[in-house]
C-alpha cells in the first residue's frame, strides 16, 4: 500500500518536474548508436524538453531534411560521402573476410591503419563543430542545459567544456574498457572484468591531447575532458554482461530501445502463419552488412533450406542460387515485432548489442555469426549464459550452421536460459528508459551530478594505488632497521672490545 | 507522459506481485539497527508477506511480548541481562571518557578486550539459534523464502546456509570496510575510500572459522558464508557518504526510516512556538547515552543557556545546576517531527547514522559531539560537506559549544549545504524503502540474485590481482632472455674461437 502511495507521489513529482522544460543538445551520432538515443530523446520531448541534434552536412545514416520531431543543427564537414563509404566498406571487409586469415601482427598493423583513417575523419567532423565560429556561436546562444553524447563520436567532452554545460554520456563500451577505466575511473580488475574487444591500447591519446590542448588553449587531454562527464549511461545490464564493479555515476540502462512487439504487416504475418507448428527463424546480419560473397550467401542459403522452419532473412544482395522455398529475403524487416512473435523459435544474428537485447527482451535463443566491434564479445556472453551457439562466418559449413540452429531450437535449455535472461531484463526497479531520462533530468535540475563523482579523478596513478604512502612507510622501516642495526653493532663492538681488553690485561 | 504511463504499469505490476505473499525470517537485531529494518518489514507486511523476527529471550531493547504486527520466534540465550548491560556501560564509558586520554597501544588493548567479550556474548546468542534443535526444527519447518539480517549480529549467513534459503543483508558499515571488501568483494582503494573507523583488522576470523566449521561440519569461514549473501542493502547514500566503487548486488538505501514530520504533541508545540523568530535547537546524544558526568552536564547546560534559541534536550540524567530557562529536558522526544519543524535552526547530535539521515532529510545543519562506532566518521563527512561543526566531548568548553551552535545557525552556508544534501537525498529514482523492498522481493521471486554476484568470489587473492598471469609472463620473459643470452654467448664464443684458431694458425 505504502509503495503504491509513494509511487503515486513520484508520479505527481514527475508530472510537476516535466513542466520545467530544459534545452538538450545532442552530439552527432549514427546508425545503431542513434537507435539507442532516440527513445530517450522522444521521452524527454514528451516531458516538455526541447531537443536539438547536431548533424553533419554529409552523413551515412542521418538525414536532417526528413520530417522529424527533433530540431537539427547542421554543421559542415570537409569529408566526402565517398571517402566515408569506402572506409566503412574496407572496415567491414577486413573484419568479415580478412582478419580470420591474418596473424596478430598483420591484424595489428591493419587495425592501426584503419583507426588512423577513422581518427582523421573524426577530427574533420570535430573541426566542423569546434572550429566553426558560426556553429559555436549558435551553440553558445542556444543556452543549452545539457549535452547528451555517445563518446564513440569524439569531441562532445571538449564542446561541453567550452560551453560550460553538464555532459551525460551514453556508451556501449570502449576498447579494453579504456575510457571507462582510465577516464571514468571505473575499477576493472582484468581477472574478472573481461576487457572489451582486442585489448589494444588507445592509440589516439597523443594526437587527441594535441588537438584538445590547441582548441582549449591550455594543456589538457581527451581523457581528462571525458572524466568531466557527469553521468555515464552504460548501454548494458546484468542480463547481458557479467557483473562487475561500478561507480555511483555509472548507470546501467541496457535495453533502452526494447519494446513489446506490434502486429506484423499482413503479408509477413501470412508467411509467418504458414510455418505451422514448426515456427519461424529470424535472420539478420544488421544494417551495415547488406551484401555477402556469392559463395557465403549460397552456403548459408542451403543451410536454411534444410530447416523445417520458415526463415525470414534480411538480405539485399544478389538472390542466392541455393535459396530454399522456406526462406524469404527482405530489404528490411520489423525485427523487434518478429522476435516478439509467438511463432519465433530462434534468431540468427551478427550479435550487435541492439539485436541481442531485443532477443533477450523477448526470450529468443540465438545463433551468432559475429564479425566486428562488440559482436564477438556479445555472443561469447550469450553462449556462456547458455542462450546461444556461436559459429564463424569464414570457417562454418552448411552443416555447422544447420546443426547450430537445430541445437538452439531442439535443446530446450537454450529457450529456458533465454527466458531466464528475459526475466532478469524485465524484473528491475525501473525501466532502462525511465532511468536514463531520470538521470538526464537530474543533471539538468542540479546543473551537474558532481556528488556522484569519485575523488579518484583528482589523484595521480601512484596516489590512487597509495604508492606514496607505501614509499613513506618503506623509508621509515628502512631507517628503523638501519638504526637498530647500527645500535646493535655499536653494542656488540663495545662488548667485544671490553672482552679483548680484559684478555689483553 | 510515457514515464507516467510506465509508472502506472509498474504500480499495477507491484499490486499484482504483492498478491504472492512470501515468508520472511528476520535475524535478531537491536536498537538503531532495528529502527532501520522496521519500516522495510512494515512495507513488506503491507504487501502481503509474512514476517517472523528472531528475538533472544533476554534483550536490551527488543520486547517480544509487546503487541506488534510481527510474529516473534524467541530463542533462549545463556547470558544474563546484567552481563550485557555491564558490557554496554563499559563500552560507552571507554568510548566517551577514556579513549581520548589513552595512547594507541592502550586503546588497541582495551578495544581487543572489549571485542573479545562482545564475541563471547555474540557466540552465546548464536548458540541459542544454531545449537538449539528446537529452534532449528521450527525454522526448517517454517519454509521461509528469505533471511533478512544485519550482519553486525553474527550468524545469519551460517543459518541461511543451513536452511538453504537466500540471504539479504542490511548493513551500515564494518570496521575498515572489512566485510564489504573481503567478504562482499566490494572494491575499496584506500586512496579514496576511507576505511570506516579504526582500521583495525577483524580479529574474529580464526575463532569465527573454527565455530563456523564446527557447526557446518565442513571447513568454512564466516567471511565465505557472508560472501553468499545475495543482496547487500547498504544503509548509506551519496548525500551522506563520499562516492565510492560498488558492485551490482550492493544497493545504497540510506535513509530508509526517514519520513515527513508529523504535528508535535501540544505541550512541545507550545514550547517550540514560544521561541519566536529565534527558533529552536534539538539536542540528543542518542538512545544509548542516558547519562553524563555532572561536570559535563553542567558545562553543556551553561553553553545552551547562553543561546537565544529555545533548546529541547533529550536527557534523563540528574538535572544540571546550570540549566537555563530556555532549555527543557525530555526523557524521549519526537526527534524526526522536531527536525522537520519550520522553527528548527540546528541539531546537536552524537552523529548516529539515523539522526544524521533525519537531519539531511529535513535540511538541518548540525553540531556533532561524536563518541563511538561510526559517529566520528559520520560527523567528519558532514563537516567536509559544510553541513556541520564537530566538537569533542572531552576537550570542549562552554564557549566552544556555544560558538559552534552560533556558527551553524548564523553562517548561512551551513543551512545552504544542509539543504543541498537534502535535495540530493530526495532526488533519486526511487525512495530507499521502495528500493529495499524491491530487492528483497526480487530475491524471493527469483530464489536468489546470483546474476548480480561478481566472479571475484571464486578467485584466490593472487588470481584476483592476476599475479598468476604476471608470473607466467615473467617466466616466459626470463626464458627468452636466457635463450637470447645463451645464443649470443654461443655465437660470440664460436667467433672468438675461430679468430683464436686463425691466429693460432
Amino acid at each position: 500500500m505504502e509503495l503504491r502511495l509513494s509511487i503515486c507521489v513520484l508520479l505527481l513529482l514527475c508530472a510537476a518536474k516535466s513542466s520545467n522544460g530544459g534545452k538538450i543538445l545532442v552530439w552527432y551520432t549514427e546508425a545503431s548508436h542513434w537507435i539507442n538515443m532516440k527513445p530517450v530523446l522522444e521521452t524527454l520531448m514528451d516531458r516538455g524538453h526541447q531537443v536539438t541534434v547536431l548533424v553533419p552536412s554529409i552523413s551515412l545514416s542521418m538525414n536532417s531534411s526528413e520530417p522529424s520531431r527533433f530540431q537539427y543543427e547542421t554543421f559542415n564537414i570537409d569529408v566526402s560521402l565517398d571517402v566515408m563509404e569506402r572506409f566503412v566498406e574496407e572496415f567491414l571487409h577486413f573484419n568479415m573476410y580478412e582478419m580470420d586469415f591474418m596473424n596478430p601482427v598483420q591484424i595489428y598493423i591493419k587495425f592501426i591503419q584503419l583507426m588512423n583513417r577513422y581518427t582523421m575523419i573524426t577530427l574533420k567532423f570535430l573541426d566542423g563543430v569546434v572550429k566553426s565560429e558560426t556553429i559555436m556561436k549558435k551553440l553558445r546562444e542556444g543556452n543549452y542545459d545539457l549535452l547528451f553524447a555517445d563518446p564513440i563520436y569524439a569531441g562532445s567532452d571538449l564542446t561541453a567544456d567550452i560551453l560550460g554545460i553538464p555532459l551525460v554520456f551514453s556508451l556501449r563500451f570502449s576498447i579494453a574498457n579504456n575510457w571507462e577505466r582510465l577516464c571514468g575511473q571505473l575499477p576493472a580488475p582484468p581477472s574478472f572484468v573481461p576487457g572489451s574487444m582486442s585489448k589494444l591500447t588507445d592509440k589516439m591519446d597523443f594526437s587527441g591531447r594535441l588537438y584538445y590542448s590547441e582548441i582549449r588553449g591550455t594543456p589538457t587531454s581527451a581523457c581528462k575532458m571525458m572524466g568531466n562527464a557527469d553521468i555515464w549511461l552504460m548501454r548494458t545490464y546484468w542480463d547481458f554482461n557479467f557483473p562487475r564493479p561500478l561507480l555511483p555515476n555509472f548507470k546501467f540502462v541496457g535495453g533502452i530501445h526494447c519494446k513489446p512487439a506490434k502486429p506484423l504487416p499482413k503479408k509477413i504475418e501470412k508467411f509467418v502463419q504458414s510455418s505451422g507448428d514448426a515456427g519461424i527463424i529470424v535472420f539478420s546480419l544488421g544494417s551495415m552488412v547488406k551484401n555477402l560473397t556469392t559463395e557465403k550467401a549460397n552456403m548459408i542459403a542451403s543451410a536454411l533450406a534444410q530447416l523445417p522452419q520458415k526463415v525470414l532473412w534480411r538480405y539485399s544482395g544478389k538472390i542466392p542460387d541455393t535459396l530454399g522455398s522456406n526462406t524469404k529475403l527482405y530489404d528490411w524487416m520489423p525485427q523487434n515485432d518478429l522476435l516478439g512473435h509467438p511463432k519465433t523459435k530462434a534468431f540468427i544474428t551478427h550479435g550487435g548489442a541492439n539485436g541481442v537485447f531485443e532477443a533477450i527482451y523477448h526470450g529468443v535463443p540465438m545463433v551468432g555469426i559475429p564479425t566486428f566491434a562488440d559482436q564477438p564479445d556479445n555472443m561469447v556472453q550469450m553462449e556462456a549464459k547458455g542462450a546461444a551457439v556461436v559459429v564463424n562466418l569464414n570457417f562454418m559449413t552448411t552443416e555447422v550452421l544447420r546443426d547450430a540452429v537445430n541445437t538452439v531450437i531442439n535443446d530446450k535449455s537454450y529457450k529456458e536460459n533465454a527466458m531466464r535472461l528475459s526475466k532478469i531484463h524485465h524484473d528491475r526497479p525501473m525501466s532502462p528508459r525511465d532511468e536514463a531520462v531520470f538521470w538526464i533530468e537530474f543533471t539538468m535540475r542540479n546543473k551537474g551530478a558532481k556528488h556522484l563523482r569519485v575523488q579518484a579523478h583528482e589523484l595521480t596513478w601512484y596516489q590512487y594505488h597509495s604508492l606514496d604512502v607505501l614509499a613513506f612507510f618503506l623509508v621509515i622501516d628502512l631507517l628503523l632497521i638501519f638504526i637498530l642495526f647500527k645500535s646493535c653493532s655499536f653494542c656488540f663492538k663495545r662488548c667485544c672490545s671490553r672482552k679483548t681488553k680484559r684478555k689483553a690485561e
Side-chain angles (χ1 to χ4, degrees), chain A:
Chain A
M1 191 60 211
E2 283 198 38
L3 184 61
R4 288 176 64 173
L5 262 179
S6 24
I7 289 175
C8 283
V9 171
L10 184 65
L11 194 149
L12 289 171
L13 272 174
C14 289
K17 276 167 190 171
S18 68
S19 63
N20 255 331
K23 293 181 78 180
I24 298 164
L25 179 63
V26 182
W27 196 245
Y28 70 88
T29 181
E30 294 270 5
S32 60
H33 301 258
W34 175 239
I35 292 176
N36 261 286
M37 283 188 156
K38 218 176 148 192
V40 174
L41 297 173
E42 278 166 351
T43 308
L44 286 164
M45 288 198 76
D46 291 339
R47 291 169 57 72
H49 302 289
Q50 191 184 311
V51 173
T52 306
V53 186
L54 275 168
V55 180
S57 51
I58 296 157
S59 163
L60 290 169
S61 66
M62 299 288 285
N63 189 347
S64 59
S65 60
E66 258 181 28
S68 153
R69 298 180 61 192
F70 307 113
Q71 283 187 27
Y72 289 109
E73 188 67 71
T74 310
F75 61 95
N76 291 317
I77 51 165
D78 191 15
V79 195
S80 70
L81 192 60
D82 190 45
V83 165
M84 285 193 280
E85 281 177 343
R86 260 190 294 133
F87 170 76
V88 171
E89 209 170 293
E90 202 171 318
F91 180 77
L92 283 179
H93 198 267
F94 162 63
N95 278 285
M96 290 175 69
Y97 300 115
E98 297 170 30
M99 213 162 90
D100 278 340
F101 306 100
M102 283 173 156
N103 65 44
V105 177
Q106 288 172 319
I107 292 175
Y108 184 81
I109 292 171
K110 180 80 188 189
F111 185 78
I112 294 301
Q113 278 173 355
L114 283 168
M115 279 300 104
N116 282 344
R117 268 170 68 189
Y118 180 72
T119 304
M120 292 311 296
I121 296 174
T122 294
L123 290 182
K124 295 270 183 196
F125 272 74
L126 193 43
D127 280 351
V129 180
V130 293
K131 286 199 176 169
S132 154
E133 277 180 30
T134 331
I135 289 290
M136 287 312 286
K137 189 163 171 270
K138 272 191 192 170
L139 296 188
R140 260 191 218 96
E141 286 169 357
N143 282 321
Y144 293 101
D145 297 302
L146 179 128
L147 180 58
F148 185 42
D150 186 329
I152 288 285
Y153 300 91
S156 57
D157 38 20
L158 185 60
T159 309
D161 182 73
I162 295 171
L163 298 177
I165 56 174
L167 172 64
V168 172
F169 277 153
S170 166
L171 176 64
R172 172 68 187 92
F173 76 104
S174 70
I175 298 177
N177 300 322
N178 269 330
W179 293 345
E180 299 93 311
R181 278 189 304 120
L182 305 177
C183 316
Q185 294 290 349
L186 192 69
S191 52
F192 68 98
V193 182
S196 313
M197 273 182 58
S198 55
K199 301 212 181 203
L200 295 173
T201 54
D202 187 348
K203 287 284 152 191
M204 283 177 62
D205 204 55
F206 182 71
S207 67
R209 214 159 61 224
L210 261 183
Y211 187 96
Y212 271 61
S213 303
E214 175 202 337
I215 296 288
R216 201 163 171 266
T218 51
T220 187
S221 73
C223 199
K224 205 172 168 188
M225 290 281 109
M226 285 185 82
N228 287 335
D230 291 277
I231 301 279
W232 297 59
L233 296 172
M234 303 302 289
R235 296 199 302 269
T236 188
Y237 188 64
W238 319 117
D239 48 353
F240 193 154
N241 267 88
F242 302 117
R244 50 159 300 154
L246 49 138
L247 289 174
N249 63 340
F250 278 69
K251 307 293 172 186
F252 287 75
V253 294
I256 277 177
H257 68 295
C258 295
K259 54 188 175 204
K262 291 195 301 286
L264 296 171
K266 273 190 185 164
K267 262 194 170 175
I268 299 184
E269 178 67 30
K270 206 178 155 194
F271 180 62
V272 168
Q273 287 302 341
S274 75
S275 69
D277 284 344
I280 62 158
I281 290 160
V282 183
F283 177 20
S284 167
L285 292 178
S287 54
M288 290 183 83
V289 179
K290 292 186 177 65
N291 220 326
L292 288 169
T293 61
T294 312
E295 180 212 2
K296 293 281 171 222
N298 277 330
M299 185 261 287
I300 289 172
S302 65
L304 301 177
Q306 296 175 38
L307 297 168
Q309 288 81 19
K310 294 276 162 95
V311 183
L312 296 94
W313 181 4
R314 178 183 176 164
Y315 186 63
S316 40
K318 190 179 147 277
I319 299 173
D321 300 329
T322 56
L323 196 75
S325 60
N326 69 332
T327 309
K328 272 204 176 176
L329 301 181
Y330 296 87
D331 279 349
W332 176 89
M333 58 190 189
Q335 183 172 290
N336 185 58
D337 305 332
L338 280 169
L339 288 174
H341 197 284
K343 283 222 182 287
T344 302
K345 300 289 173 193
F347 181 34
I348 310 178
T349 172
H350 63 306
N354 287 343
V356 172
F357 258 125
E358 284 171 4
I360 291 175
Y361 184 93
H362 296 295
V364 179
M366 289 161 263
V367 170
I369 316 179
T371 50
F372 67 97
D374 55 338
Q375 299 164 12
D377 273 4
N378 296 345
M379 291 319 303
V380 161
Q381 290 174 67
M382 288 304 107
E383 198 173 34
K385 292 180 160 77
V389 166
V390 182
V391 295
N392 180 302
L393 182 65
N394 288 305
F395 302 128
M396 73 177 173
T397 58
T398 298
E399 291 71 37
V400 166
L401 179 59
R402 183 199 61 200
D403 293 350
V405 178
N406 280 329
T407 303
V408 301
I409 293 175
N410 297 330
D411 181 340
K412 293 280 167 270
S413 72
Y414 288 91
K415 178 69 185 177
E416 280 163 23
N417 287 322
M419 289 307 293
R420 185 175 51 82
L421 299 184
S422 182
K423 199 175 171 195
I424 292 170
H425 182 96
H426 290 278
D427 200 356
R428 17 185 173 175
M430 216 176 180
S431 84
R433 192 197 295 207
D434 291 347
E435 200 175 342
V437 166
F438 178 88
W439 288 110
I440 291 171
E441 288 192 342
F442 179 97
T443 309
M444 289 199 284
R445 269 198 299 280
N446 298 282
K447 312 204 182 308
K450 290 290 177 269
H451 71 288
L452 299 178
R453 196 167 174 270
V454 290
Q455 186 64 14
H457 286 283
E458 317 306 328
L459 303 178
T460 62
W461 63 271
Y462 58 87
Q463 285 173 331
Y464 182 100
H465 296 287
S466 299
L467 296 182
D468 47 350
V469 180
L470 282 177
F472 174 76
F473 281 118
L474 201 67
V475 168
I476 298 278
D477 283 353
L478 287 176
L479 258 175
L480 285 178
I481 291 169
F482 179 75
I483 292 168
L484 197 73
F485 178 77
K486 279 287 170 193
S487 321
C488 287
S489 79
F490 176 74
C491 296
F492 186 73
K493 269 184 195 162
R494 268 193 95 161
C495 289
C496 286
S497 66
R498 267 187 206 162
K499 276 184 191 167
T500 328
K501 270 183 192 171
R502 271 188 207 162
K503 274 185 188 171
E505 287 165 4

